[in-house]
Amino acid sequence: MTDHLTLTKPFPALPGEVRLAVVGLGYVGLPLAVEFGKTMDVVGFDINGARVKELSTGTDFTLEVEDDALASSTGLRFTEDPDDIADCNVYIVTTPTPIDAAKQPDLTPVLSATETIAKVLSPGDTVIYESTVYPGATEEQCVPVLEDLSGLLVNVDFFVGYSPERINPGDKEHRLPTIVKVTSGSTPEAADFVDALYSSIITAGTHRASSIRVAEAAKVIENTQRDVNIALINELAILFNRLDIDTEEVLQAAGSKWNFLGFRPGLVGGHCIGVDPYYLTHKAQAVGYHPEIILAGRRLNDSMGSYVASQLVKRMTKERIPVRGARVLMLGLTFKENTPDLRNSHVVDILTELAEYEIHVDVYDPWARADEAQKHYGIDLVEQPEQGAYGAVIVAVSHHQFVEMGAAGMRAYGDPAGHILYDLKYVLDKCDSDLRL
């Protein structure tokens, strides 16, 4: 057991004394490790041996980091061996924080990473979390694990910080250095150190929060706000459909006002917007408050896959296109355009609902990895759709390949005897599709 004496050793100087470990090398961790690796020694740690091997060869299958950028990070090395991070003095946790089947926060990955760090934690070290959590989780869930397994005391022997990730998968404009970074620490001195650490790589600047809880809350409401706004537009789309009014025309008209927010209807998936609100509502219910608007928005957005499927079936029936046994082509499976990211894709909800009508769906996505689609969803992607074979074609994701294909290219897959072209992403003009949200 360590004698707990107040540390007089200063925080490590930047970048010379920092020995950094980034724990978790996914969409968030890898860009972070690469950026820090340009100016300091960094160990990128991940429990996925295949991921470590892939990155060690200089390739990132998530496509978030280009091969040349990976090669330019000369201070970065990769490992799956916890012993390789034992000599580090700063640890950044970037593991996912998903929800379970009951839509409750699943802190298993972040707590597992915390246990790994706790076993090698030394006096003077700093542990920073980037994973999205509910307000209080870092200090209430993670710190006790660090203390129990290390025998050290927070703010006496070691320090913690929180700097929420803001990675937007597939976005080549808003990259890590050009996005303002929120920072925080468990003491004012720790907050200074965390802020200085990130300031060394973030050209857009930082925003120092007054506490870890404030920084946690800021992150979780960023995506909750977007979720609620999209839910409103989804509800309006359902209403306008019943009123036989084109939703996009309404939004374009309303958008002529300077302060109208330009949200569009659609499926809400991914690792953030469709997940983070459940972390906030979990904490709200834990303190005796039942959130109304947040949960209503979540229920509505989670129901959109079923709504899309029902609209398609109704239109097929109206056009006398046989439903039972029909073949449908789904263009896109990833949760957003121009990324291979399949996490929490609600395209799957449409597939599940169509299966209830005994409709067979071929899924074509040039961005998604076939092994990942099979692993996560049991879906076998088609390498190339059949021409003239489908009773309906659904544009579910606006990959640039589909945009460039145009209506003629999409309709070439439809049955010449009759088919429905359903545009969920507004990639076509109104006159070029048969149905859209």
Side-chain angles (χ1 to χ4, degrees):
M1 194 74 170
T2 299
D3 291 331
H4 303 296
L5 299 177
T6 301
L7 292 172
T8 57
K9 177 183 177 181
F11 287 91
L14 301 175
E17 297 179 5
V18 171
R19 301 185 302 278
L20 178 65
V22 175
V23 181
L25 298 173
Y27 286 85
V28 174
L30 181 62
L32 189 72
V34 167
E35 204 61 40
F36 274 120
K38 295 176 181 178
T39 59
M40 66 181 70
D41 290 333
V42 179
V43 181
F45 174 84
D46 201 291
I47 60 174
N48 185 340
R51 175 68 167 159
V52 170
K53 182 178 180 181
E54 172 195 73
L55 292 174
S56 296
T57 64
T59 301
D60 170 31
F61 87 86
T62 71
L63 306 181
E64 285 303 301
V65 176
E66 303 293 340
D67 291 354
D68 58 348
L70 200 53
S72 71
S73 187
T74 55
L76 174 61
R77 61 188 177 92
F78 303 104
T79 185
E80 58 179 311
D81 186 351
D83 290 340
D84 290 338
I85 63 173
D87 189 46
C88 294
N89 54 14
V90 178
Y91 300 88
I92 301 180
V93 179
T94 60
T95 51
T97 44
I99 53 176
D100 61 22
K103 298 181 178 178
Q104 293 297 306
D106 180 6
L107 294 176
T108 302
V110 74
L111 292 178
S112 177
T114 300
E115 291 174 3
T116 298
I117 294 169
K119 293 173 183 177
V120 298
L121 198 64
S122 299
D125 289 354
T126 301
V127 184
I128 305 167
Y129 291 86
E130 288 213 5
S131 307
T132 302
V133 291
Y134 53 78
T138 299
E139 292 158 305
E140 295 167 8
Q141 299 293 328
C142 299
V143 167
V145 174
L146 292 171
E147 291 182 323
D148 291 345
L149 294 184
S150 70
L152 305 176
L153 293 180
V154 69
N155 297 334
V156 175
D157 303 310
F158 70 93
F159 303 89
V160 295
Y162 185 79
S163 182
E165 60 89 4
R166 282 175 165 171
I167 292 295
N168 186 24
D171 188 339
K172 300 305 180 183
E173 178 182 356
H174 301 96
R175 309 305 294 164
L176 176 66
T178 62
I179 302 172
V180 173
K181 202 81 164 70
V182 174
T183 65
S184 64
S186 55
T187 68
E189 295 77 16
D192 286 341
F193 171 71
V194 172
D195 194 72
L197 179 67
Y198 282 105
S199 293
S200 70
I201 64 168
I202 305 297
T203 59
T206 61
H207 177 98
R208 180 175 158 176
S210 62
S211 69
I212 288 176
R213 288 167 61 89
V214 167
E216 291 169 327
K219 167 58 180 177
V220 80
I221 72 163
E222 289 174 16
N223 290 314
T224 299
Q225 182 189 64
R226 288 181 58 80
D227 192 46
V228 170
N229 275 287
I230 296 171
L232 171 62
I233 302 302
N234 275 335
E235 186 165 59
L236 292 175
I238 295 171
L239 170 61
F240 292 147
N241 177 63
R242 294 195 178 189
L243 295 175
D244 196 26
I245 300 173
D246 186 81
T247 302
E248 178 64 8
E249 290 187 17
V250 174
L251 294 176
Q252 287 179 353
S256 64
K257 187 179 180 185
W258 74 92
N259 61 351
F260 186 81
L261 302 179
F263 290 94
R264 288 297 184 272
L267 307 175
V268 182
H271 68 299
C272 286
I273 300 179
V275 173
D276 293 358
Y278 288 118
Y279 276 76
L280 187 57
T281 58
H282 167 80
K283 187 63 175 181
Q285 291 167 337
V287 296
Y289 178 75
H290 181 75
E292 300 286 350
I293 295 176
I294 300 172
L295 285 176
R298 276 284 73 236
R299 285 192 297 271
L300 199 148
N301 284 340
D302 279 347
S303 72
M304 289 305 292
S306 177
Y307 174 77
V308 167
S310 67
Q311 290 301 106
L312 176 62
V313 169
K314 288 178 182 178
R315 186 58 181 266
M316 291 175 68
T317 302
K318 181 179 179 180
E319 300 297 329
R320 293 184 171 84
I321 298 173
V323 172
R324 186 177 182 182
R327 295 185 66 190
V328 168
L329 174 62
M330 185 72 69
L331 295 178
L333 180 61
T334 62
F335 91 90
K336 66 176 294 188
E337 68 278 359
N338 304 327
T339 174
D341 196 343
L342 289 170
R343 290 174 295 175
N344 195 32
S345 170
H346 282 281
V347 176
V348 176
D349 297 345
I350 305 175
L351 301 176
T352 301
E353 193 70 19
L354 292 178
E356 294 293 317
Y357 292 96
E358 298 185 29
I359 293 174
H360 175 76
V361 183
D362 283 350
V363 182
Y364 174 59
D365 193 318
W367 282 83
R369 285 178 44 157
D371 59 338
E372 291 289 307
Q374 176 56 232
K375 174 184 176 182
H376 293 294
Y377 301 115
I379 294 172
D380 292 317
L381 300 177
V382 298
E383 293 185 6
Q384 185 62 46
E386 295 182 39
Q387 298 278 320
Y390 303 97
V393 177
I394 303 176
V395 188
V397 186
S398 54
H399 292 317
H400 73 82
Q401 291 94 332
F402 301 152
V403 175
E404 294 163 4
M405 188 183 295
M410 296 172 187
R411 288 196 182 277
Y413 296 122
D415 187 338
H419 64 269
I420 303 299
L421 178 54
Y422 195 171
D423 181 9
L424 302 184
K425 301 297 294 185
Y426 298 97
V427 301
L428 304 172
D429 291 336
K430 177 183 177 181
C431 60
D432 291 330
S433 64
D434 303 306
L435 194 61
R436 61 181 184 174
L437 280 176

